[in-house]
Amino acid sequence: MNRQRSEQLYDEAKELIPGGVNSPARSWGAVGGTPIFFARGKGSHVWDVDGNEYIDYVGSWGPMILGHADDEVINAVTEVAQSGTSFGAPTQAESEMASLVLDAYPSIDLIRFVSSGTEAGMSALRLARAFTGRDKIVKFEGGYHGHADALLVAAGSGALAHGVPDSAGVTGSFAEDTLIAQFNDLDSIKVHLDAYPGEIACVIAEPVAGNMGVVPPDPGFLEGLRNLTTQAGALLIFDEVITGFRVALGGAQERYGVAPDLTCLGKIIGGGLPVGAYGGRADIMNVVSPLGPMYQAGTLSGNPVAMAAGITTLRRLSAPGFYDDLESKAARLEAGLTAAFAEAETPLTVNRVGSILTMFFNAGPVNGWSSVSQSDKDGFTRFFHRMIDQGVYPPPSPFEAWFVSSAHTDEDIDRTIEAARQALS
Ligand code: KE4
């Protein structure tokens, strides 16, 4: 497959942008080689600058649940942009979007829009500290909540893939207030809550881990988190930037029936444009400026063009059977990949929740960072490049999720399964 133009553009970009990318997750640092530069996308397919076509399972890391360049979303964005792209003042669209989110998330009484998942996580953390008057927070090893200093400790996603789970530049004072627990291990939470009574402001969790690869919560884990935090007077924050509107219309909190105190959202709610959000109980959100003393602001927060993309996207998700269709497509993909690896006698564990999945080169079970870290990264790398050469675009890291969209067809799924068979032969 000729990718010379990507190589040329990458060389140019590296002269201008650190590592030639505006996010390390795109750098292919975990798999080696030259990151593909894309020219366009439509539905479940993307085309690179050399004209090569791929079935896309990155979907911009989650936002493109309807597929690329969805006609309704593009029309809405185009139309709204004609009236101006940003005012730095309230618009009706922000309330429309807020209503759509609050209807789907009963745990959210009030919501604040920001421009990224990082801003959502950072703000929710500051709010938890402001509301409780406590300093310490608990996160999970391999959990990723954006690149705010306090959260770049034992972080997942690109931080993990590039070997910097504890980022340079994060000062000791930040790190010492960030306590680390193990996903699916309630005792690892209890230890901290018992050691620091009255000092822990919150536990922040991806209710389905996505940034160490997809790791579902064990039965009872989320309920246990809920009970332990309530008993300790700490807030429970669900970072649903990946799972929100993804694993169900109401996210993981709907799918598993556990209500957090605060929720972070992003990705899908922007429909491909920059939107993040945090929201939750009114008594907590009333602490947010201008109502209360916790400050958070943003020039482009609630941007009308981004709201148009988000509103159009969210409206489509409530169509009858939307999530059933996603579920059946992703289930077929999981079954096909599992069969392909069994035929090749290659150890594989596929963890899937709804339309997100990760293939671990690992006999399994994979239920937390310790088992994730046993996976065969070299095996994934070989598989990744062979899939790319066959026109299938998985995430360029073993610690990320594959995303299935409503635009993926049965033919896409069948072609992906056949490509996996070839990649393993
Ligand atoms: P952003 O700041 O990238 O919009 O969101 C940060 C974030 C917060 N919470 C969760 C659960 C997330 O997954 C993310 C971002 N996800 C990564 C990939 N897993 C984004 C890709 C990238 O960093 O380029």
Side-chain angles (χ1 to χ4, degrees), residues 12 14 47 77 94 161 176 182 193 197 210 221 227 236 266 272 274 278 318 325 343 349 394 405:
E12 287 171 21
K14 284 188 285 189
W47 286 261
V77 163
E94 294 153 74
E176 72 192 22
Q182 295 304 318
L193 295 173
F221 177 67
N227 295 335
L236 178 58
Y278 65 100
S318 47
D325 172 57
E343 285 163 24
T349 298
S405 78

Side-chain angles (χ1 to χ4, degrees), residues 23 25 61 116-118 144-146 157 206 211 239 241-242 267 400:
S23 181
W61 305 97
S116 70
T118 290
Y144 182 73
H145 310 285
S157 186
E206 296 173 63
N211 287 289
D239 177 347
V241 167
I242 286 181
K267 295 185 191 282
E400 296 286 359

